[in-house]
Amino acid sequence: MGISFDYAPDRPEHIDAILNGLDRYNPETTTIFQDYVAQQCEDRTYDCYANLALLKLRDAAEDSFVISSI
């Protein structure tokens, strides 16, 4: 059996807490997720579940996003 899309072995605890709590779709977490995407690029890792949460936030509040970070 494969690895679940919501599993990321390198996911920081604070990101995991956001994803599993009520703040997942809180617009105030946008910058946290954007910073995490930048960290993933630097570390050459990938966290599908966190990246999908950021895309959903972007879809909900399109005007407030910095496109270069996505």
Side-chain angles (χ1 to χ4, degrees):
M1 188 155 91
I3 297 173
S4 177
F5 82 95
D6 62 347
Y7 173 75
D10 299 321
R11 182 184 298 147
E13 287 185 29
H14 71 283
I15 297 294
D16 198 49
I18 292 170
L19 290 172
N20 293 312
L22 296 176
D23 283 332
R24 178 175 180 174
Y25 300 117
N26 181 345
E28 293 177 13
T29 62
T30 300
T31 56
I32 295 169
F33 282 124
Q34 288 174 334
D35 291 343
Y36 184 45
V37 168
Q39 179 185 347
Q40 290 175 66
C41 292
E42 290 173 12
D43 297 343
R44 295 183 181 212
T45 59
Y46 182 72
D47 188 339
C48 181
Y49 199 49
N51 297 344
L52 286 172
L54 177 60
L55 288 174
K56 286 187 180 220
L57 282 168
R58 183 197 180 279
D59 191 42
E62 204 170 308
D63 297 336
S64 64
F65 272 80
V66 178
I67 300 299
S68 63
S69 70
I70 298 178

